[in-house]
Amino acid sequence: STQSYMGRLRDKKMSEEQKQGGHAENGADDSNGYDRNGGRLQRGASNFDKYGFSTEADEMAADKQQYLENFQPTARRRSARWAKFFEKNGEIDISTPEKVKALVRKGIPDAKRGELWQVCSGARERQLENPGYFAKLTEKSPDPAIADQIELDLQRTFPSNREFRTDDGINKLRMVLRAFAVHNPTVAYCQSMNFIVALLLLFMPPEGAFWMLVQIVEGSPHHNHMVFKGYYEEGMPMLKVDVRVLSALLEKKVPKVFAALKRCHIDLVWICSDWFMSLFSVTLPATTVVRIWDSLFLEGYKILFRVSIALFKMNEAVLAKATSLDQVMEAVKGFLPKTIDFDALMKIGFRKIGSLSKSETNRLREVFLRQVEEEREENRRRREQLRQIQREKQEQEGKMEGVLQSAAPSRFVQPAEDERDVHYVFN
């Protein structure tokens, strides 16, 4: 398949990160300037942010630091609300998600993220229902071609993060990806899974990350709100569907940006395929991604639409003026790494773009799924017609060759029966 424009930018970014090299030293650090107990850390004590990403080549590192410092009072208030919630309720009951939706939309504290992501997504339930299953998978090997692709991508996965500059971090990532490939040989492995799993591993052990990936790709009967299986299947049918859904929503929600994209003859798949396939993990700062994931794992796939529309809304002024493909792509390339105000992004996604009901997104999904399936069937039919034409052409050529051979004069005259008159005559 044709690599997306943003995919090429991503690969370039990963290549630049790999050039940094070096290994991280152990020790607690927080890019927000505070330790886990709220104490102030000394500035310059570490070259890594609180999630372990190197700040050395990050042009936005100082801005991120300042934003997180300014956000601390808000973060403390919200953490206090979470503490009261757990004191009163004990744990989250996702059978009634409305009770926690408001809290989750304002962000889950880092200390609780890994646990609550697993609960909200249904991964914890799947894990409890299948004790020992992950361990058994790790003892098996996936298809050799899949194993080779995983190995190739391990060194490309967040090379600027200190966790994945160590053998231990790489081994955990390898373990989860290989286990999933054995568990689901139909999907097996697709690029972008490595980034999703890597970010999950910063918050939970390998078994938890494995069941999170299972839920993301497959869902389950009681937790089918975020099934992205069609993103990773051959032909990526649901990715095509959801990009068309986003386009329809964008036309209503941010018409000026939609008009600019249409004017510049831009297919949204060129921009958003990486956003959706990686669940934003390779396109936005990690501090912003985890805030998106808080709601994504509770509310499901419609969060991808809310966040995408919010990104276009936040950058409407510059995008609406674009008159060419290059201008749009440069604008997107510019604003993605600068999207550090995760609170503003989520407020726009939930408050400024208006209603975005699941019934409406489901309806649009059904409409465009039929469209994509019809296109796939038409393409299949055309390919079969082409193969039939080629077969008939080969048959005709074979018959013609036989006719020509039978009609052609002999190259040699057979020798006479009487050996005394043997002679060769060339035509």
Side-chain angles (χ1 to χ4, degrees):
S1 60
T2 302
Q3 187 181 36
S4 71
Y5 181 91
M6 295 310 297
R8 293 195 295 273
L9 294 178
R10 177 198 64 201
D11 291 344
K12 180 180 178 182
K13 176 183 176 184
M14 295 305 158
S15 176
E16 291 171 350
E17 287 181 338
Q18 284 180 310
K19 293 178 183 177
Q20 293 178 24
H23 292 275
E25 296 180 358
N26 292 328
D29 74 286
D30 242 329
S31 66
N32 60 14
Y34 296 86
D35 63 24
R36 291 184 178 88
N37 297 316
R40 195 69 172 84
L41 289 173
Q42 291 184 353
R43 196 178 289 272
S46 172
N47 291 323
F48 296 88
D49 67 19
K50 68 175 180 177
Y51 298 137
F53 289 92
S54 173
T55 59
E56 293 178 359
D58 186 354
E59 296 179 355
M60 298 299 297
D63 293 320
K64 292 176 185 176
Q65 169 95 1
Q66 188 61 56
Y67 173 76
L68 290 171
E69 288 182 358
N70 294 341
F71 190 71
Q72 273 301 306
T74 301
R76 289 196 185 98
R77 286 196 303 271
R78 292 177 179 177
S79 292
R81 290 174 192 157
W82 275 103
K84 290 181 180 179
F85 174 86
F86 286 116
E87 183 179 349
K88 179 180 179 180
N89 300 280
E91 60 182 28
I92 283 184
D93 179 7
I94 57 172
S95 64
T96 55
E98 294 298 325
K99 290 184 178 181
V100 295
K101 183 185 290 187
L103 271 176
V104 171
R105 284 186 172 187
K106 290 183 179 295
I108 300 173
D110 277 334
K112 286 288 186 179
R113 273 203 164 105
E115 175 188 351
L116 294 187
W117 285 351
Q118 293 176 74
V119 171
C120 292
S121 66
R124 176 61 55 82
E125 183 177 329
R126 289 286 291 272
Q127 182 176 339
L128 293 175
E129 290 172 349
N130 298 274
Y133 180 66
F134 174 69
K136 292 179 181 178
L137 291 176
T138 61
E139 297 172 356
K140 301 177 182 180
S141 298
D143 179 272
I146 298 298
D148 289 345
Q149 185 60 57
I150 289 173
E151 287 299 314
L152 188 63
D153 287 343
L154 290 175
Q155 302 299 326
R156 302 173 178 175
T157 307
F158 294 138
S160 69
N161 189 285
R162 62 183 172 190
E163 176 71 12
F164 303 107
R165 293 181 178 183
T166 67
D167 290 341
D168 182 59
I170 291 293
N171 286 337
K172 289 176 181 177
L173 181 58
R174 177 188 292 112
M175 184 190 307
V176 175
L177 294 174
R178 286 172 62 96
F180 182 83
V182 173
H183 161 75
N184 188 332
T186 302
V187 174
Y189 173 73
C190 181
Q191 288 178 328
S192 74
M193 286 181 180
N194 51 322
F195 294 103
I196 294 172
V197 171
L199 197 53
L200 290 169
L201 285 170
L202 300 181
F203 295 90
M204 63 190 70
E207 186 170 9
F210 165 77
W211 285 111
M212 285 292 298
L213 184 60
V214 170
Q215 284 301 98
I216 288 169
V217 176
E218 301 174 6
S220 60
H222 302 296
H223 303 280
N224 60 359
H225 58 294
M226 58 167 205
V227 182
F228 301 107
K229 181 179 180 181
Y231 286 10
Y232 309 107
E233 291 179 339
E234 184 178 358
M236 302 176 182
M238 284 309 299
L239 178 65
K240 296 175 181 177
V241 169
D242 281 353
V243 168
R244 296 183 191 191
V245 172
L246 176 60
S247 182
L249 295 173
L250 194 64
E251 184 175 12
K252 294 180 180 180
K253 304 293 184 180
V254 198
K256 291 182 181 179
V257 170
F258 177 84
L261 297 177
K262 187 175 182 180
R263 181 171 64 245
C264 298
H265 306 289
I266 294 176
D267 189 331
L268 268 181
V269 75
W270 303 342
I271 298 174
C272 300
S273 58
D274 281 350
W275 297 10
F276 285 10
M277 287 191 68
S278 73
L279 308 182
F280 294 105
S281 62
V282 298
T283 55
L284 294 172
T287 48
T288 301
V289 176
V290 297
R291 179 65 181 277
I292 294 169
W293 283 11
D294 291 346
S295 293
L296 179 68
F297 295 145
L298 176 68
E299 300 184 50
Y301 67 86
K302 72 174 184 178
I303 297 300
L304 295 183
F305 299 134
R306 284 195 176 277
V307 172
S308 298
I309 294 169
L311 284 168
F312 287 121
K313 184 68 177 177
M314 289 178 74
N315 298 279
E316 181 177 16
V318 62
L319 290 171
K321 296 177 182 177
T323 58
S324 69
L325 169 65
D326 288 342
Q327 287 181 2
V328 171
M329 292 305 188
E330 284 302 312
V332 173
K333 178 185 175 182
F335 71 65
L336 288 175
K338 294 178 181 177
T339 310
I340 58 178
D341 191 343
F342 48 76
D343 213 44
L345 175 68
M346 301 309 284
K347 284 180 180 178
I348 292 173
F350 290 124
R351 300 179 186 176
K352 298 287 183 69
I353 65 171
S355 174
L356 189 63
S357 67
K358 184 169 287 187
S359 60
E360 175 63 7
T361 54
N362 284 342
R363 185 190 68 80
L364 289 171
R365 265 187 154 191
E366 290 174 2
V367 169
F368 291 117
L369 179 58
R370 286 196 297 271
Q371 189 179 97
V372 168
E373 288 177 342
E374 288 172 0
E375 290 172 0
R376 291 180 71 181
E377 178 59 26
E378 177 63 18
N379 290 335
R380 186 202 64 76
R381 188 182 63 80
R382 288 180 178 178
R383 286 194 299 271
E384 181 56 36
Q385 285 181 338
L386 180 60
R387 283 193 290 267
Q388 181 63 28
I389 291 172
Q390 290 173 337
R391 285 194 295 267
E392 291 176 357
K393 181 179 178 181
Q394 290 172 352
E395 291 175 0
Q396 289 296 326
E397 289 175 346
K399 292 178 179 178
M400 183 62 68
E401 184 177 353
V403 170
L404 292 174
Q405 287 178 350
S406 63
S410 175
R411 181 71 172 166
F412 298 100
V413 175
Q414 295 295 325
E417 291 183 4
D418 189 341
E419 291 185 359
R420 291 171 300 174
D421 297 330
V422 169
H423 63 280
Y424 292 93
V425 180
F426 289 89
N427 294 328

